[in-house]
Amino acid sequence: MDERKGKCLLLFQSIHKVMQAEHIIAGLGLQYQIIPVPKEYSSECGMCIEIDCSNSNNLLTELQLNKLSFNIVIKVDS
């Protein structure tokens, strides 16, 4: 997944899970931003985390090890 370019949006079921993921991402030293979920995507939680897709491989592994469920949505930069 590291070969993907652009931004990945990580959507979670609750703000609590967003906060848990934020802690993991910060611990890995990755750049991220918490943003509102774009209108074209549905989510049970109104916030999501935006990361560079090139950073996604290690992060996804860490999230899975911590049993945080998520969906990845590739965001096309315009």
Side-chain angles (χ1 to χ4, degrees):
M1 196 166 294
D2 283 343
E3 63 275 6
R4 290 184 171 170
K5 297 190 189 276
K7 301 288 183 181
C8 288
L9 298 182
L10 303 178
L11 283 69
F12 298 89
Q13 293 177 343
S14 70
I15 191 66
H16 180 71
K17 290 190 184 267
V18 170
M19 292 168 57
Q20 288 178 315
E22 179 182 24
H23 180 75
I24 292 167
I25 294 167
L28 293 172
L30 300 176
Q31 296 276 329
Y32 69 95
Q33 188 171 11
I34 296 177
I35 62 171
V37 175
K39 292 178 185 175
E40 61 266 24
Y41 305 113
S42 66
S43 173
E44 295 175 18
C45 172
M47 303 302 284
C48 64
I49 298 177
E50 180 183 68
I51 62 167
D52 286 327
C53 289
S54 62
N55 294 329
S56 63
N57 222 14
N58 290 340
L59 174 58
L60 298 182
T61 299
E62 280 298 314
L63 293 176
Q64 289 170 341
L65 288 173
N66 285 279
K67 300 184 190 314
L68 283 175
S69 58
F70 57 89
N71 293 319
I72 297 178
V73 179
I74 303 301
K75 179 180 176 184
V76 178
D77 294 329
S78 49

